[in-house]
């Protein structure tokens, strides 16, 4: 099995994506992390009731936490339902956590969740080590995207 096939397989069950992250940040490096969820949270995630728009990750006391991620209440859950936007622990190796601590403190980079997906029955989050874009960077990216789209339309029309 090639690496491309493994990548496609691992993201075959994508639950949520954070499209805003690619508009707001330059993604420098990516990490895959497990996420600690309760029973009703897992059921809501399987129902695709997740939002990563305003969420971010933070390293605190040697642990990585996902903050402000919104996992909606499970409809069939009763008094055992979870809090919607509680902090959730992310599972990474010690080496990855040390690397993240160094990058976030020294280089003033941010940890942004890019995707939430299931891999082998386990919920995972793809984190991006990101640097914020300036307004002119955003305008430039939009201009490049529109020019690329125009070129593709022109090429499609000629053939």
């Amino acid at each position: 099995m090639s690496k491309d096939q493994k990548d496609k397989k691992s993201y075959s069950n994508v639950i949520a994506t954070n499209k805003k992250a690619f508009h707001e940040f330059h993604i420098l490096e990516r990490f895959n992390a497990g996420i600690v969820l309760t029973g009703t949270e897992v059921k809501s995630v399987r129902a695709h009731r997740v939002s990563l728009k305003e969420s971010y990750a933070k390293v605190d006391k040697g642990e990585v936490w996902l903050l402000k991620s919104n996992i909606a209440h499970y409809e069939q859950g009763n008094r055992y339902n979870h809090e919607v936007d509680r902090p959730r622990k992310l599972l990474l190796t010690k080496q990855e956590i040390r690397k993240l601590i160094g990058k976030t403190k020294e280089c003033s980079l941010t940890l942004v969740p890019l995707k939430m997906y299931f891999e082998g029955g386990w919920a995972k989050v793809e984190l991006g080590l990101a640097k914020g874009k300036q307004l002119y960077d955003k305008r430039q990216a939009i201009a490049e995207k529109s020019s690329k789209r125009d070129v593709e339309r022109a090429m499609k029309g000629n053939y």
Side-chain angles (χ1 to χ4, degrees):
M1 190 181 296
S2 70
K3 185 179 180 196
D4 293 334
Q5 290 173 337
K6 286 181 182 179
D7 289 341
K8 287 179 184 177
K9 185 178 179 183
S10 65
Y11 292 126
S12 62
N13 295 325
V14 175
I15 305 301
T17 57
N18 189 355
K19 294 178 185 176
K20 189 176 179 184
F22 295 99
H23 181 71
E24 300 281 329
F25 300 99
H26 293 289
I27 308 300
L28 305 175
E29 201 169 343
R30 295 171 188 235
F31 296 93
N32 292 322
I35 184 168
V36 178
L37 299 173
T38 63
T40 55
E41 285 175 329
V42 174
K43 292 183 181 244
S44 287
V45 169
R46 288 195 186 277
H48 296 265
R49 300 192 45 155
V50 179
S51 174
L52 297 174
K53 280 186 182 176
E54 300 296 321
S55 60
Y56 63 96
K58 184 177 180 180
V59 181
D60 186 33
K61 298 178 185 173
E63 295 180 336
V64 182
W65 294 89
L66 182 64
L67 305 170
K68 293 190 179 181
S69 63
N70 189 338
I71 298 178
H73 282 292
Y74 182 59
E75 292 176 4
Q76 283 77 31
N78 48 21
R79 64 181 180 192
Y80 301 111
N81 235 331
H82 61 277
E83 291 181 38
V84 174
D85 58 351
R86 72 175 183 87
R88 293 168 178 90
K89 187 175 180 179
L90 297 178
L91 306 172
L92 292 161
T93 63
K94 282 185 181 181
Q95 293 173 341
E96 290 174 330
I97 293 173
R98 285 188 196 129
K99 187 175 184 178
L100 291 176
I101 289 171
K103 296 275 187 172
T104 54
K105 291 198 178 184
E106 290 177 14
C107 304
S108 67
L109 299 176
T110 307
L111 284 172
V112 181
L114 304 175
K115 292 180 185 176
M116 185 179 285
Y117 60 96
F118 277 104
E119 182 179 326
W122 298 98
K124 305 244 180 184
V125 175
E126 183 180 45
L127 291 176
L129 196 58
K131 182 178 183 180
K133 282 187 182 179
Q134 300 293 328
L135 182 60
Y136 59 85
D137 289 334
K138 293 178 191 176
R139 288 180 184 156
Q140 184 179 7
I142 291 170
E144 288 174 5
K145 199 183 291 186
S146 65
S147 66
K148 185 177 177 182
R149 193 177 310 126
D150 291 340
V151 168
E152 287 178 3
R153 284 183 189 153
M155 294 295 286
K156 198 174 191 180
N158 290 340
Y159 293 111

